[in-house]
Amino acid sequence: MGVSETQLIERYFRHVGAPRDDVVLGIGDDAALLQVPGDAQLVLTTDALVEGVHFLPGAPARSLGHRCLAVNLSDIAAMGASPRWALLALNLPQADAHWLEAFAAGFDALARLHGVALVGGNLSRGPLSITVQLAGVLPRGVALRREGARAGDALYVSGSIGDAAAGLKCLQGTLAASAPARAYLQGRFEFPTPRVELGAGLRDLASACIDLSDGLLLDAQRLLRASNCRACIELERLPLSAALVETCGELAWQQGLSGGEDYELCFSAPPAQAAAIEALALRTASPVTRIGVLGAGSGLELKLHNVVMRFAASGFDHFQA
Amino acid sequence: MGVSETQLIERYFRHVGAPRDDVVLGIGDDAALLQVPGDAQLVLTTDALVEGVHFLPGAPARSLGHRCLAVNLSDIAAMGASPRWALLALNLPQADAHWLEAFAAGFDALARLHGVALVGGNLSRGPLSITVQLAGVLPRGVALRREGARAGDALYVSGSIGDAAAGLKCLQGTLAASAPARAYLQGRFEFPTPRVELGAGLRDLASACIDLSDGLLLDAQRLLRASNCRACIELERLPLSAALVETCGELAWQQGLSGGEDYELCFSAPPAQAAAIEALALRTASPVTRIGVLGAGSGLELKLHNVVMRFAASGFDHFQA
């Protein structure tokens, strides 16, 4: 290979991401040095992509560069914060120039879109895995949490759900789809859209928020548990893409409920905010759909054609038997 | 296995680390929410331990819990900052209760010692690798950097050097040592001492600082390059432990120069600070040794019994051929 860790960082990562005035010291010293606004709270998150777990061996590097940042941006969005500074820890089996270029390009494009600077990281030899840590800021006391939803609030979800999991099945060869549907679904898996602007706008409107990484069924229940609420979701209302419906037919809603990796936001808001939420959705080009209502108590009810169903919890959990 | 990611986090990680009043929201939401002092700069770093690269398969979990935090604390120390909040991304092949308990205990003990809260993370199935992100704070404009050393400054190193690499060789079976020497050297590899208090104290005394992860020869040259200085190191002055000298004999100084993973600090300071540095070393129980002097120009000279040697750069680099 004949190229050092330092040279690899110089060549592929030095200029990745947005330049930011608040980066006092970025890549190249023992740690990054950053100027935090005086009145801000700091938001920190980390998420990892592991080969064979979160992506298939041989997955396109550009998609991985995008996804490893997108999944973290989604966590920052779910808090209503503005992303600022990223660290990247990359374990690589070998230093492949084409792979590194494509990976860096995918990371860079998404980072610039959201004004995120790459300020440091770590490069090691090892089985391919990618861990990003993302720091964001927001004004004191306004963070969105999973708790805070109240009986009577409406339950919303952004974008469409179930697409990414269906796209992964297409990639794995376990789901057949038409060429255009397949392209759309795979794109939703490989290049998810973190709802950063929507999340920041929801700070003043939503009562609770979570991002959908493990599927609506699991993640909505996390929000409900944290908020001590129950919810009734009307399955006819689930935002399902035309491609998903075309591909999965009558079972599309099941895919929408349990499919993970969508990185949409699920949030609650008082009914009085409905118009403001619609306006925000338009302004940020992030479609949102009201899918149900919250009540006192606990648990999740699913209603299909006015028949109430109870559904065994499912979704993606790494250590479930 | 029958236990979920959420349950594992609850069981093993929820109460790890120091409780801190500035943690508004820790483990359990989409991201952690932290109160940064208004006049502070933020310091961010990340470092990873990969099985087979940074530790041997079957390495004791308690040591890994300690080391994954120690290597990051060392980066924070090298900036002169105070560590505050950690994120832990853990890829595990399986959830082994004994392993997790010992790992968490190792992390916890060191975190509490330095007042670090564990505020979030990520748990995935995958080949064993551990990535920690650590955030620290320090007053505006006082961070220690690799640049800033000037001709005439003295060059120092903390603790003793070469021990950890020799300890690793003992573990690998490629270096023979007496039982007490072996125990000492392995302990230095498995439980390195990050020089956090020393680093914070050096903020007002040192002109430049770096931590020793890849060996004095490589890391000192990084400091010199960043500072546009040359240095002459007197090899008789290298702080070598009795165990290292007993084990490596006349070659101990070579081990001290090129051995990595010590996580000691290498720093420069004007001669006028010599007494203050000695006092700081005593106060923080961190021995420091003056090993040489800086001059104008570039490069590194090594002097043994007043004979000047030039040494080919070496040390540990993950992607070197």
Side-chain angles (χ1 to χ4, degrees):
Chain A
M1 191 142 44
V3 74
S4 74
E5 188 180 348
T6 312
Q7 287 171 313
L8 288 176
I9 291 166
E10 273 305 317
R11 195 173 303 166
Y12 298 105
F13 295 107
R14 166 71 74 183
H15 300 290
V16 160
R20 295 190 58 89
D21 289 343
D22 52 17
V23 178
V24 183
L25 202 58
I27 291 173
D29 213 298
D30 291 295
L33 191 57
L34 310 157
Q35 196 60 57
V36 186
D39 60 341
Q41 283 181 328
L42 180 69
V43 180
L44 283 185
T45 190
T46 185
D47 223 335
L49 300 184
V50 180
E51 186 176 63
V53 180
H54 305 91
F55 58 91
L56 303 172
R62 192 180 173 100
S63 156
L64 296 179
H66 176 99
R67 277 184 76 215
C68 71
L69 181 57
V71 299
N72 282 281
L73 283 168
S74 181
D75 282 325
I76 295 285
M79 305 293 290
S82 300
R84 289 280 185 274
W85 313 294
L87 299 172
L88 169 66
L90 194 52
N91 298 340
L92 285 178
Q94 71 274 321
D96 175 295
H98 293 295
W99 193 95
L100 280 161
E101 263 167 40
F103 176 85
F107 191 102
D108 183 59
L110 188 61
R112 285 179 190 266
L113 187 65
H114 294 289
V116 170
L118 179 64
V119 297
N122 187 74
L123 205 53
S124 293
R125 251 189 221 276
L128 182 57
S129 83
I130 311 157
T131 305
V132 168
Q133 297 96 353
L134 190 58
V137 295
L138 82 182
R140 247 166 237 231
V142 302
L144 285 172
R145 307 181 182 195
R146 295 180 181 179
E147 65 182 60
R150 274 181 292 269
D153 285 357
L155 189 67
Y156 290 86
V157 71
S158 68
S160 58
I161 56 178
D163 293 340
L168 176 58
K169 286 181 183 171
C170 289
L171 284 162
Q172 290 170 320
T174 59
L175 181 66
S178 70
R182 185 186 162 98
Y184 171 83
L185 296 172
Q186 286 181 193
R188 291 275 292 161
F189 175 74
E190 293 183 334
F191 295 94
T193 304
R195 302 295 185 180
V196 177
E197 294 188 342
L198 177 66
L202 286 173
R203 260 179 357 218
D204 306 318
L205 306 174
S207 52
C209 187
I210 190 171
D211 81 313
L212 296 182
S213 53
D214 296 333
L216 179 64
L217 208 54
L218 262 188
D219 290 320
Q221 288 183 84
R222 289 178 176 142
L223 184 150
L224 295 174
R225 266 197 305 273
S227 292
N228 291 313
C229 280
R230 56 183 281 280
C232 179
I233 294 180
E234 297 169 64
L235 296 180
E236 295 95 330
R237 289 180 174 272
L238 291 185
L240 304 176
S241 68
L244 188 72
V245 171
E246 178 202 308
T247 305
C248 298
E250 288 190 354
L251 299 178
W253 63 269
Q254 290 188 9
Q255 187 68 33
L257 272 182
S258 61
E261 310 282 337
D262 279 321
Y263 301 104
E264 297 293 348
L265 297 182
C266 173
F267 59 96
S268 59
Q273 303 291 10
I277 286 170
E278 265 185 55
L280 172 68
L282 278 173
R283 202 177 72 236
T284 60
S286 313
V288 303
T289 306
R290 191 169 64 74
I291 58 169
V293 66
L294 304 190
S298 68
L300 182 59
E301 268 177 24
L302 305 174
K303 218 156 73 172
L304 184 61
H305 307 306
N306 279 321
V307 179
V308 173
M309 311 165 61
R310 295 206 160 261
F311 214 77
S314 107
F316 191 69
D317 191 308
H318 291 295
F319 287 92
Q320 204 74 46
Chain B
M1 193 142 43
V3 74
S4 74
E5 189 182 348
T6 311
Q7 285 171 314
L8 288 176
I9 292 166
E10 274 303 318
R11 195 174 302 166
Y12 298 105
F13 295 108
R14 164 72 75 183
H15 301 291
V16 160
R20 294 190 58 89
D21 288 344
D22 52 18
V23 177
V24 183
L25 202 59
I27 292 172
D29 213 298
D30 291 294
L33 190 58
L34 310 157
Q35 195 61 55
V36 185
D39 59 342
Q41 282 180 328
L42 180 69
V43 180
L44 282 187
T45 189
T46 185
D47 224 334
L49 299 183
V50 180
E51 185 175 63
V53 180
H54 304 93
F55 58 91
L56 304 172
R62 191 179 173 100
S63 156
L64 296 178
H66 176 100
R67 278 184 75 216
C68 71
L69 180 58
V71 300
N72 282 282
L73 283 167
S74 181
D75 282 325
I76 295 284
M79 305 294 289
S82 301
R84 289 281 184 273
W85 312 293
L87 300 173
L88 168 66
L90 194 53
N91 298 338
L92 286 178
Q94 71 275 321
D96 176 295
H98 293 294
W99 193 96
L100 280 161
E101 261 167 41
F103 177 86
F107 190 103
D108 183 60
L110 188 61
R112 285 178 190 266
L113 187 64
H114 294 288
V116 170
L118 179 64
V119 298
N122 187 74
L123 204 53
S124 292
R125 251 189 221 275
L128 183 57
S129 84
I130 310 158
T131 305
V132 168
Q133 179 202 19
L134 190 58
V137 295
L138 82 182
R140 249 166 236 232
V142 302
L144 285 172
R145 306 181 183 196
R146 296 179 181 181
E147 65 182 60
R150 274 180 293 267
D153 285 357
L155 190 65
Y156 291 87
V157 72
S158 68
S160 59
I161 56 177
D163 294 340
L168 177 57
K169 285 181 183 170
C170 289
L171 284 163
Q172 290 171 320
T174 59
L175 182 66
S178 70
R182 183 186 164 99
Y184 171 84
L185 297 172
Q186 285 182 194
R188 291 276 291 161
F189 175 74
E190 293 184 334
F191 294 93
T193 304
R195 302 295 186 180
V196 177
E197 292 187 346
L198 178 65
L202 287 173
R203 259 179 356 218
D204 307 318
L205 305 174
S207 52
C209 187
I210 189 170
D211 81 315
L212 297 182
S213 52
D214 295 334
L216 179 65
L217 208 55
L218 262 187
D219 289 320
Q221 288 184 84
R222 288 178 177 143
L223 183 150
L224 296 173
R225 266 197 305 274
S227 291
N228 291 314
C229 280
R230 58 183 280 280
C232 178
I233 294 180
E234 297 169 65
L235 296 179
E236 296 95 331
R237 289 180 174 272
L238 292 185
L240 305 175
S241 69
L244 189 72
V245 171
E246 177 202 308
T247 305
C248 298
E250 288 191 355
L251 299 178
W253 62 269
Q254 290 188 10
Q255 187 69 32
L257 273 181
S258 61
E261 311 282 340
D262 279 322
Y263 301 103
E264 296 293 347
L265 296 182
C266 174
F267 59 97
S268 60
Q273 302 292 9
I277 286 170
E278 266 184 54
L280 173 68
L282 278 174
R283 203 177 71 235
T284 60
S286 313
V288 303
T289 307
R290 191 169 63 75
I291 58 169
V293 66
L294 303 190
S298 66
L300 182 59
E301 269 177 22
L302 304 175
K303 220 156 68 170
L304 185 61
H305 308 306
N306 279 322
V307 179
V308 172
M309 313 165 59
R310 296 206 161 263
F311 214 76
S314 105
F316 190 69
D317 192 307
H318 291 294
F319 287 92
Q320 204 74 45

